[in-house]
Amino acid sequence: MLIYRGKIRKIMATATGLFFLTTSAFSVTSKRPSVSLFVNKVHSFRLRAANIEGSEIEGKEEVGISEKKKIFVAGATGNTGKRIVEQLLAKGFAVKAGVLDVDKAKSTLPGQNPDLQIVKADVTEGSARLADAIGNDSDAVICATGFRRSLDFLAPWKVDNFGTINLVEACRTLGVKRFLLVSSILVNGAAMGQLFNPAYVFLNVLGLTLIAKLQAEQYIRRSGINYTIIRPGGLKNDPPQGNIVMEQEDTLYEGSISRDQVAEVAVEALLHPESHYKVVEIVARTEAPKRSFKELFGSIKQQ
């Protein structure tokens, strides 16, 4: 017996006349499901099935569905990575945080948040293990990794080059179509005529860091994945001072920006299709006008 709007209708069925409606989006949890619950569940299933390649990734409130988009963040306990995690959660996303030390991450990242999952993920251990960490429930991957300074001069290549490539290959294995990388301005400094720029010289002394990042960027661009490469200026832990300036690749060679703003750009890139297949360089300037992210990303040409 099913109840619809207070009226009772008896439905008789013979053994040969039974009909079962099954769908992955609807499971009976009560003997008396309401019409509105059934419609909402089917609507949610249809929305999830209509995941068109290249469309923007939207939060729960923006698409009206019951399941949040899940974003995998590599380097989630880094100074920039943890800010990305916090802002993703604030925007209504679910987050899978890839970290080296799970116990440490539990004390660093927002605790007791049902939308946050912490998993062990070492980008240097190969794409197969990363694919297991990312899982088949991630809608996009953000790479915010960075090597730790040490006497190992290959560290930048292990993390910023091969590690990033491993993440891309894991995405290709899983069918994850959206990839964001936090890189750096001046990665192509030699081609920009900035070979003797102090920042370019300093960073490359530490294991040719910028060259390692540049080659990883080139791999991403050849991979066919829908990418946004974000090249920030000097990173500051201080609160934002000034508005974001966004320029074409190989344009900016000086300037700084708050890590909070870098995280904001990364999260907003998920929400704006104008960011697709683009390399953007960002700094903050007090004299710069306030511009919307749609306008900022839209001002950058695809290369």
Side-chain angles (χ1 to χ4, degrees):
M1 180 180 295
L2 302 177
I3 300 176
Y4 296 97
R5 299 180 180 176
K7 295 183 179 181
I8 302 177
R9 297 180 180 178
K10 295 183 179 179
I11 301 176
M12 308 273 309
T14 65
T16 59
L18 286 174
F19 176 75
F20 293 94
L21 176 64
T22 61
T23 173
S24 61
F26 176 69
S27 60
V28 178
T29 57
S30 171
K31 294 183 179 180
R32 301 177 180 178
S34 68
V35 174
S36 60
L37 174 61
F38 177 82
V39 172
N40 286 339
K41 290 290 185 181
V42 172
H43 180 57
S44 173
F45 170 76
R46 290 175 176 172
L47 284 172
R48 292 181 63 194
N51 181 21
I52 302 173
E53 181 178 355
S55 63
E56 61 186 304
I57 296 179
E58 297 177 312
K60 172 183 175 184
E61 292 78 11
E62 297 174 17
V63 294
I65 62 177
S66 59
E67 186 172 344
K68 297 182 177 183
K69 295 291 184 180
K70 181 175 288 186
I71 312 301
F72 181 89
V73 180
T77 54
N79 287 325
T80 301
K82 65 183 180 182
R83 288 169 167 83
I84 292 174
V85 170
E86 292 167 354
Q87 293 200 31
L88 283 169
L89 293 171
K91 279 285 187 177
F93 288 97
V95 177
K96 185 177 287 188
V99 303
L100 292 175
D101 188 332
V102 173
D103 291 331
K104 178 181 178 181
K106 290 178 180 178
S107 62
T108 303
L109 299 174
Q112 306 301 319
N113 192 317
D115 293 324
L116 174 63
Q117 179 184 358
I118 300 174
V119 297
K120 181 175 175 57
D122 186 341
V123 296
T124 68
E125 291 184 347
S127 61
R129 289 192 177 184
L130 282 174
D132 290 338
I134 295 169
N136 58 10
D137 58 346
S138 296
D139 297 281
V141 168
I142 299 177
C143 178
T145 57
F147 78 97
R148 296 177 179 177
R149 295 183 181 181
S150 68
L151 296 177
D152 184 1
F153 287 97
L154 293 178
W157 290 86
K158 292 176 181 178
V159 177
D160 294 319
N161 184 269
F162 300 122
T164 301
I165 290 172
N166 287 337
L167 277 172
V168 173
E169 285 305 304
C171 287
R172 295 175 69 177
T173 298
L174 295 167
V176 177
K177 296 179 172 62
R178 192 77 172 96
F179 189 90
L180 281 74
L181 171 68
V182 179
S183 184
S184 174
I185 63 170
L186 283 174
V187 292
N188 204 19
M192 296 169 61
Q194 296 295 317
L195 189 61
F196 299 106
N197 184 305
Y200 184 77
V201 172
F202 174 74
L203 289 173
N204 278 322
V205 165
L206 301 174
L208 301 177
T209 304
L210 293 179
I211 295 175
K213 288 179 179 290
L214 178 62
Q215 291 195 11
E217 286 187 14
Q218 292 170 346
Y219 188 91
I220 294 169
R221 298 170 77 163
R222 293 192 301 265
S223 70
I225 200 167
N226 182 349
Y227 66 86
T228 303
I229 296 172
I230 302 166
R231 295 177 177 175
L235 297 170
K236 301 174 66 176
N237 293 325
D238 301 329
Q241 294 181 350
N243 293 318
I244 295 171
V245 173
M246 185 176 291
E247 297 289 350
Q248 202 77 27
E249 63 179 300
D250 301 341
T251 299
L252 299 174
Y253 56 87
E254 62 181 0
S256 61
I257 188 168
S258 168
R259 292 182 189 270
D260 293 323
Q261 290 171 305
V262 177
E264 186 180 12
V265 171
V267 174
E268 291 293 333
L270 294 173
L271 301 171
H272 292 85
E274 293 85 1
S275 69
H276 293 183
Y277 300 100
K278 291 182 179 180
V279 179
V280 301
E281 299 189 340
I282 55 173
V283 294
R285 293 175 181 158
T286 55
E287 73 277 11
K290 178 73 173 178
R291 301 170 68 191
S292 69
F293 282 99
K294 180 180 178 67
E295 183 182 1
L296 286 169
F297 285 120
S299 67
I300 306 300
K301 297 180 181 178
Q302 291 181 349
Q303 297 294 323

